[in-house]
Amino acid sequence: MAGLAAAFGSGAMTNTIADIQAADVILITGSNTSENHPVISSIIKRAIKFKGAKLIVVDPRRIKMTDHADYWLRPNLGTDTAWINGLMHVIVKENLHDQTFIENRTEGFEDFKKSLEKYTPEFVEGITGIGAKKIVSAARLFGNAKVASIVYCMGITQHTSGTDNVKALANLSMLCGYLGVPGGGVNPLRGQNNVQGACDMGGLPNVYTAYQQVADPAVARKMEKAWKVKGLSTKVGLKVTEMIPKAHAGQLKGMYIVGENPLVSDADLNHVEESLKNLDFLVVQDIFLTETAKMADVVLPSLCFAEKDGTFSNTERRVQRIRKAVDGPEQAKEDWWIASQIGTRMGFPMEYGNSEAIFEEIRRVTPSYAGLTYGRIEQTGLHWPCPTEKHPGTPILHGQQFTRGKGLFHPLEWIPPAEQADNDYPLLLTTGRVLYQYHTGTMTMKSEGLNERAPESFVEISRADADKFGVKHDQMVTIASRRGEIQVKVKVSSMAVEGTVFIPFHFAKAAANRLTNAKLDPLSGIPEFKVCAVKIKDAA
Amino acid sequence: MTKSEQATITINGNSYPFHNGNTILDVARDNQIEIPTLCHLKSATPTGACRICVVEVKGARTLLASCATPAVRDMVVQTESAKVVEARKQILQLMLSSGNHNCAVRGSDDLEWTAFQLKVQDDDASGQLCPVWGDCRLQDLAYRYQVSGERFPATPSRYPIENVNPFIVRDFSRCIQCGRCVQACNDVQVNNAINFGYRGPESKIIAATDRPLKDSDCVFCGECVQACPVGALVEKNIRYDVRPWQTEPVRTTCTYCGVGCQIYLHVRDNQVVKVTGVEDAPPNYASLCVKGRFGHDFIGSPQRLDKPLIKENGKHREASWDQALDLVADRFKSIRDSNGPDSIGVLTSARISNEENYIIQKFARAVLKTNSIDHCARL
C-alpha cells in the first residue's frame, strides 16, 4: 500500500467493488481474480457480458480471466514497471492523456514524462517479452476509454520492485484522468477478510489507527491522553519481515503471534523456522494448533469469526458487522479478551464489556471511523472515511482532491528481479493460491470437499518444459531453489508459459515458501514471492 | 411531465405509476401485489420459460408472462382472474406429475401414493419425503392453488441422480426445467458451466457435453443451488439430514478473502450446517464462492484448540487460563524490563476483527511500549 500512499496520500481501493461495472475498460494485473476473488471476477465478467466493457489481462499465467479478455499481455516475471511505462509511453505519444486532469489535479508530470521517453514499445518488448504491437493496441484501448478501472493484487506487490509497480499503476490512472470518478481508480484486492481492517486499526509498525504516524509526537500525545498512559514510543517498529532476522540474530527475544502462521506463509521458511526456535519466549494465539503454534511456549485458544461479535473492513473500505452464530470450544476466548487480560496482568488495566464498547473507543481515536456506529451498519456496511454520524461514507476516494492534495507522478525505472534464471536454476517460479484452498489451509483443509478438489501441492508446468526436463504429468519431482527443496506432483497445464512454473503456497507438507526468496521491497518490506529461480531435480 | 400526467397501468382495479422499462411484474412487486414466479431470477434477463407468472391483459388474445411483458400506458391487468388461475393450475399439475415430487401434495389415493413413494425410494435410496420439503417454491404454489400431480399420469424420471462431486447433488427427477440455475451460472456468476441440453421430453440441464459437474467448468460456487426453487440442486452434506425448519439463520460477513460477502450461517444445535448469500445486500448480492459456501467445516472441527497449552520439557500440556495468562504476563514483563521494549514483536492478524486488532496494537504500544507490531498484509 506504500505505493498508493505515496501517489495519492492513502493506500486502499479508490473505488468500490460494484463500481467496477461502470468502467468501459478494465485492466487486471497480478490478480488471478476468478480463483482468489471469485465474486469480484463475476462482477467483472458481467460488465463484459452485459455492459460491453473491454478487458485487458496482464499476467504471466494463462489464468481463467484471459478467456474473457480482449488482450492478454504475457510479461516475463518481474517486468511490470517496464510494461506499464510502455503503455504510458504510447498514451503520451499518441496524445491520449488527460491534459486537464494532469494540470488541475497532479504534480510532477514533466519529469515523469521525460522518464517515459526510452520506454518505446520495442524497448519494452525486449524486457517484457510482450509484442510491441500488442503494447500499442492495449495502450490505445486503455487510453481511449471514457473511464477505465485498474484491478491488481499480490502479483504486482510481491516483488522487490512492488512499490514501484504500484506507483506505476497510479501514474497510469492519473495520466488518463481516471481517478475520483465512477468506473475508474486503482483498486488493490485484499486477499484476507480483514487485511484492510488490520491496517486501519494500526496493526502496522509505523501508524496508529487511521494511518496516524507513530513518529509524530503530536499523535503520540493524543494517544497517551486517550489511553491514559505515558511514554508511547515515537520510533517506528519492526515489520514482520524485519522481526524474523532480528530473532535469528538474537536481538528479538519474545513474540506474540495472533492468528498468523508464518511457518507456512513467509518466504524462505527454513530461515523462519530457525529464527522462531531462537526466541526466548513465543506465544501463539489461534483457533488451531498450526505449524507455528506447535513451536510456541504458550498456546492460547481463540474463538473464530462465527463465535463472536465485531466488525471486518472489506477490500473496498466497507465496515461490516460479524455476529455470533454458535458457541465455540468451551474454553476458547475472544482475541480481544485474551490480549486485554495479558495487558491487565502486566499492570495496565484493559477492561471492556463487549466488542461494541471497544468500537466506541476506536471511533474516538480514529477520524475515518468516527461517524460509524454498530447501529448505522446494522443492515449495510459503510465505506470509510466517515468522519461524522451524519456523513454517508465515501465510496469513491479522491473525488475533488487527493488525500495528499495533488496526485504525485513518480518517474520510475524498471529494476530486474533479485534472482534470474541461470544454468544451475533454469526455471522461474511464481507462487499463489488455488480456488479451493485458502492461505495456509488451516481452515479450508478441514473441509473434505475442498480437499477432494485440491488435495495436494503441485508444480504447474508447460508441455514444452515438461518435455525439455523429461517429466510427466502426475509424476512426483523435487523442485529446488538456492534455499530449499520440496517434492510435488507435476501438473502439465496450458496455464503455464514456457520458462515459468507455478506452485501454490497453501500446503505445509510441500511448502512453496521453502523455495521462495525473502529479498524485500525496500519500502513496503514485501518479499519477492512472485519470482525466484528453481530447478527440477531427479524424480523423487 | 407533471405527476398527474405520469403513465399508469391498472392492476386488479387499482392504477399504479411505472417507469419506462418496467415489466408488469416489476410494477406489481413495487406495489406489494404478489404474482407467483418460478423461473424469474432477479438481476438476470427474464426468460418467460415457466409461464407461472401469466396474467390477463385486456385486449390481449392470450395470457402474457408478466416477467417479460413491459408495462404500457393504460394497460389493464388481472393477476388472479379465473383464466389465470386455471392456467397456473395446469402448469403446476404438469410439473408435479413429471418426476419425483413426493411432497405429499399428491392427493388422496393411498394406493397410488404408496406406489409412487416406492418408485421414488428406488430412484433416490431414501424413504423420506423430498429433501427440500418446506423450502420449495413448487410445493408452496401447489398448496396455494390446491393442486396435486394426479391429474396427469406420472412420467418416469429419465436421468439418474448425480452425486459424484463433494458439494452438490443434481436430482434431475425433481428438476422443473425453469432455467434459474442456467441463468445463475451464465448471467450472474458467468462461469458458463451448465446449459440446456437435448430437446422436448429429453431435455436436461447439462454441464459441458453432458458430463458430471466435477469434469466440467463448474467451480462449485453454488449459485445454482441457491437459485434452484425446487429440490433438483441441493447441498450434498445436508441432503435429507437438515430440514429448513430446524435451522436459524444468522447474518454475518464471510471470513475468507477481502470481498466481505454478506452471508447467512444456518445453525442447528450449535453447528453451522449451511451457508447462503444474503440477497439484496452489497457487496455480493447473494453470490458466493466455493470456500464461502462450502468451506465452513473448520468452525466445528474437533481439531479446534479448546484449552491453553504450556510447553514443558518440549511438550505441550493443558493449563488453566490463569496459569497461562500469568506466565505470559510475567515472561513478557521480564523480557521487556531486562532487554527493552523493542525486544518483543507482535503479529496481529488479518483474520480477526477490527476491535481485536485495535486491542492488540494498543497492548503492543501501551503495555509493551513498542511499535513492533505487524500482520501478514504483505504475505
Side-chain angles (χ1 to χ4, degrees):
Chain A
M1 295 304 118
L4 283 191
F8 304 149
S10 65
M13 249 175 105
T14 59
N15 290 49
T16 68
I17 294 169
D19 183 79
I20 298 172
Q21 292 186 91
D24 53 359
V25 173
I26 300 162
L27 169 69
I28 298 178
T29 182
S31 154
N32 182 5
T33 326
S34 64
E35 296 205 58
N36 292 339
H37 297 91
V39 170
I40 291 181
S41 82
S42 290
I43 286 169
I44 293 170
K45 288 183 281 185
R46 286 205 294 277
I48 296 165
K49 181 165 181 177
F50 297 109
K51 304 200 166 166
K54 304 283 182 200
L55 177 65
I56 303 169
V57 173
V58 190
D59 201 282
R61 298 167 69 210
R62 192 181 288 108
I63 54 172
K64 190 83 187 156
M65 291 310 285
T66 62
D67 291 351
H68 302 266
D70 295 83
Y71 292 103
W72 172 38
L73 275 50
R74 198 281 169 184
N76 296 330
L77 294 189
T79 61
D80 297 294
T81 301
W83 67 257
I84 302 165
N85 278 353
L87 293 186
M88 294 189 288
H89 173 98
V90 176
I91 287 168
V92 170
K93 192 173 158 203
E94 304 201 356
N95 213 17
L96 302 175
H97 54 295
D98 185 339
Q99 197 60 45
T100 319
F101 185 90
I102 292 166
E103 275 166 25
N104 295 337
R105 299 284 310 272
T106 69
E107 58 195 13
F109 181 66
E110 286 309 318
D111 282 348
F112 158 73
K113 190 177 162 187
K114 274 195 204 94
S115 75
L116 295 177
E117 274 167 18
K118 78 175 193 204
Y119 287 87
T120 63
E122 294 71 26
F123 176 69
V124 171
E125 177 174 350
I127 296 170
T128 64
I130 304 168
K133 275 190 189 149
K134 244 183 175 175
I135 291 167
V136 174
S137 308
R140 284 178 186 156
L141 180 62
F142 190 88
N144 278 313
K146 278 201 289 294
V147 62
S149 176
I150 298 173
V151 174
Y152 74 89
C153 197
M154 295 304 204
I156 282 292
T157 55
Q158 288 178 343
H159 291 279
T160 44
S161 57
T163 304
D164 282 355
N165 293 342
V166 174
K167 284 178 183 168
L169 291 174
N171 286 343
L172 175 60
S173 189
M174 283 194 290
L175 181 67
C176 298
Y178 297 150
L179 281 154
V181 288
V186 183
N187 298 299
L189 304 184
R190 300 299 207 141
Q192 304 203 50
N193 58 330
N194 204 28
V195 181
Q196 188 65 54
C199 294
D200 297 347
M201 291 300 105
L204 293 168
N206 60 335
V207 288
Y208 290 95
T209 62
Y211 309 94
Q212 304 172 84
Q213 300 291 326
V214 296
D216 181 347
V219 172
R221 275 197 298 277
K222 173 185 152 182
M223 300 310 294
E224 283 172 354
K225 207 171 148 199
W227 289 348
K228 301 188 178 68
V229 67
K230 286 204 178 79
L232 290 178
S233 169
T234 51
K235 191 173 122 199
V236 170
L238 301 173
K239 300 181 181 103
V240 52
T241 42
E242 293 164 340
M243 290 180 202
I244 301 296
K246 289 259 183 192
H248 202 260
Q251 290 159 321
L252 197 74
K253 306 281 183 195
M255 278 188 86
Y256 177 30
I257 300 181
V258 182
E260 300 262 306
N261 192 9
L263 255 187
V264 180
S265 64
D266 284 19
D268 194 358
L269 289 181
N270 296 338
H271 178 74
V272 175
E273 195 172 339
E274 286 168 25
S275 305
L276 293 185
K277 273 190 192 146
N278 207 25
L279 290 169
D280 288 351
F281 190 58
L282 172 63
V283 180
V284 172
Q285 184 168 312
D286 212 310
I287 62 173
F288 290 110
L289 194 65
T290 62
E291 291 75 10
T292 309
K294 282 179 189 152
M295 297 186 63
D297 295 290
V298 179
V299 180
L300 304 171
S302 51
L303 291 168
C304 81
F305 85 111
E307 297 151 354
K308 58 195 178 188
D309 290 308
T311 57
F312 288 162
S313 300
N314 79 349
T315 187
E316 54 172 356
R317 296 171 283 106
R318 192 195 289 273
V319 184
Q320 308 191 103
R321 281 296 316 275
I322 58 165
R323 294 179 183 83
K324 180 178 172 175
V326 290
D327 293 323
E330 209 177 302
Q331 290 207 33
K333 304 282 189 191
E334 282 115 331
D335 291 291
W336 64 259
W337 183 89
I338 303 171
S340 302
Q341 279 293 317
I342 302 171
T344 305
R345 284 165 204 244
M346 288 178 74
F348 180 77
M350 295 172 83
E351 274 152 30
Y352 299 90
N354 53 35
S355 67
E356 189 169 9
I358 301 169
F359 196 80
E360 288 299 310
E361 181 176 317
I362 294 171
R363 294 177 61 202
R364 287 196 292 276
V365 298
T366 312
S368 58
Y369 278 60
L372 301 170
T373 65
Y374 274 24
R376 287 191 76 192
I377 60 171
E378 175 65 23
Q379 283 303 315
T380 307
L382 292 168
H383 304 272
W384 65 258
C386 181
T388 66
E389 282 191 45
K390 291 267 177 343
H391 193 283
T394 312
I396 302 180
L397 293 179
H398 318 306
Q400 298 305 313
Q401 60 168 7
F402 287 99
T403 311
R404 71 177 289 279
K406 293 215 165 186
L408 180 60
F409 279 105
H410 290 87
L412 300 166
E413 290 294 341
W414 171 67
I415 303 161
E419 212 170 64
Q420 306 281 356
D422 55 26
N423 285 338
D424 295 337
Y425 295 90
L427 287 164
L428 285 178
L429 167 72
T430 192
T431 63
R433 294 180 182 167
V434 298
L435 173 64
Y436 297 98
Q437 297 291 357
Y438 179 76
H439 221 62
T440 68
T442 51
M443 297 182 344
T444 45
M445 286 176 197
K446 304 295 183 298
S447 284
E448 279 175 34
L450 297 173
N451 289 336
E452 187 178 325
R453 298 295 295 175
E456 60 191 344
S457 194
F458 58 86
V459 56
E460 175 192 283
I461 187 168
S462 70
R463 164 63 54 203
D465 283 334
D467 291 346
K468 185 168 160 191
F469 295 97
V471 296
K472 291 198 174 63
H473 193 69
D474 276 350
Q475 176 189 350
M476 290 298 290
V477 294
T478 300
I479 304 286
S481 76
R482 289 188 173 82
R483 290 154 295 277
E485 56 181 57
I486 59 170
Q487 297 183 347
V488 286
K489 208 175 235 184
V490 172
K491 184 176 172 186
V492 177
S493 167
S494 60
M495 281 173 80
V497 171
E498 201 175 342
T500 300
V501 296
F502 167 84
I503 301 177
F505 71 84
H506 309 292
F507 302 91
K509 263 189 214 145
N513 286 326
R514 297 217 175 266
L515 310 175
T516 48
N517 191 350
K519 191 91 180 10
L520 303 181
D521 176 284
L523 213 70
S524 71
I526 299 179
E528 189 147 69
F529 287 113
K530 298 302 187 198
V531 195
C532 75
V534 296
K535 65 181 170 191
I536 301 179
K537 285 175 51 173
D538 289 339
Chain B
M1 199 185 283
T2 66
K3 197 156 190 190
S4 59
E5 287 169 338
Q6 189 171 1
T8 60
I9 65 171
T10 302
I11 303 178
N12 301 343
N14 299 310
S15 75
Y16 303 99
F18 67 94
H19 300 290
N20 235 348
N22 281 168
T23 61
I24 297 172
L25 181 66
D26 293 333
V27 183
R29 290 216 166 144
D30 285 349
N31 294 286
Q32 287 77 49
I33 299 163
E34 163 70 8
I35 298 177
T37 58
L38 275 171
C39 70
H40 182 70
L41 185 63
K42 213 170 13 178
S43 78
T45 324
T47 59
C50 75
R51 297 198 53 83
I52 201 74
C53 72
V54 288
V55 293
E56 191 170 349
V57 176
K58 200 174 171 183
R61 283 184 300 124
T62 57
L63 299 178
L64 301 175
S66 62
C67 69
T69 308
V72 175
R73 181 185 283 261
D74 301 332
M75 198 178 234
V76 178
V77 178
Q78 287 290 334
T79 67
E80 294 282 335
S81 69
K83 258 170 102 175
V84 167
V85 169
E86 188 45 43
R88 285 187 194 147
K89 281 187 169 182
Q90 188 168 345
I91 294 165
L92 292 169
Q93 284 164 330
L94 273 167
M95 285 176 175
L96 288 166
S97 71
S98 114
N100 295 343
H101 301 290
N102 60 336
C103 47
V105 293
R106 203 166 163 81
S108 51
D109 184 336
D110 282 350
L111 278 177
E112 201 268 355
W113 165 254
T114 306
F116 177 61
Q117 180 63 13
L118 286 170
K119 169 192 164 311
V120 176
Q121 206 167 317
D122 217 33
D123 288 347
D124 199 4
S126 168
Q128 296 189 49
L129 297 180
C130 177
V132 297
W133 202 102
D135 183 22
C136 173
R137 196 81 187 111
L138 180 61
Q139 184 188 27
D140 292 347
L141 291 174
Y143 184 75
R144 172 168 162 182
Y145 289 99
Q146 291 293 300
V147 291
S148 72
E150 293 165 303
R151 179 167 161 195
F152 301 102
T155 48
S157 19
R158 207 171 280 273
Y159 302 104
I161 285 181
E162 178 196 316
N163 59 5
V164 290
N165 73 72
F167 306 113
I168 301 171
V169 174
R170 300 168 82 196
D171 180 352
F172 301 98
S173 76
R174 291 186 168 104
C175 174
I176 56 169
Q177 306 268 334
C178 69
R180 278 171 69 98
C181 56
V182 173
Q183 286 201 303
C185 188
N186 292 272
D187 296 348
V188 179
Q189 287 271 352
V190 203
N191 288 326
N192 307 332
I194 55 172
N195 218 322
F196 288 98
Y198 309 111
R199 292 196 174 190
E202 313 236 300
S203 67
K204 176 189 183 189
I205 309 297
I206 59 166
T209 51
D210 200 4
R211 284 199 296 242
L213 287 179
K214 72 181 178 63
D215 302 321
S216 74
D217 280 342
C218 176
V219 290
F220 298 100
C221 67
E223 187 90 24
C224 58
V225 178
Q226 188 158 342
C228 181
V230 292
L233 297 166
V234 178
E235 295 90 348
K236 187 174 184 176
N237 61 330
I238 56 166
R239 195 168 178 265
Y240 285 122
D241 176 34
V242 175
R243 296 290 182 170
W245 57 87
Q246 299 171 324
T247 63
E248 281 295 327
V250 178
R251 181 168 163 180
T252 189
T253 303
C254 181
T255 189
Y256 282 107
C257 77
V259 175
C261 289
Q262 293 300 292
I263 56 176
Y264 286 113
L265 300 177
H266 298 260
V267 179
R268 181 182 72 177
D269 299 337
N270 199 43
Q271 266 209 316
V272 177
V273 292
K274 167 173 157 165
V275 177
T276 55
V278 179
E279 319 254 351
D280 298 322
N284 53 310
Y285 298 95
S287 290
L288 295 177
C289 75
V290 63
K291 295 183 286 284
R293 196 180 295 277
F294 296 111
H296 51 79
D297 299 284
F298 77 90
I299 299 168
S301 163
Q303 294 175 46
R304 284 285 301 278
L305 284 170
D306 64 349
K307 289 189 183 67
L309 304 173
I310 292 175
K311 195 171 257 180
E312 276 174 1
N313 306 319
K315 273 192 181 154
H316 280 135
R317 67 154 177 96
E318 290 179 356
S320 72
W321 271 107
D322 273 332
Q323 286 174 322
L325 290 168
D326 283 339
L327 175 63
V328 172
D330 284 351
R331 292 294 314 251
F332 278 156
K333 210 166 166 213
S334 81
I335 295 174
R336 179 193 66 189
D337 295 345
S338 49
N339 299 86
D342 290 333
S343 60
I344 304 176
V346 178
L347 291 187
T348 186
S349 174
R351 326 304 333 284
I352 64 178
S353 71
N354 286 327
E355 292 77 359
E356 294 172 322
N357 272 297
Y358 173 80
I359 290 298
I360 288 164
Q361 61 93 34
K362 182 175 176 180
F363 167 77
R365 294 183 161 119
V367 183
L368 299 178
K369 296 282 169 58
T370 180
N371 286 313
S372 290
I373 171 161
D374 202 356
H375 66 282
C376 71
R378 299 180 173 84
L379 309 176

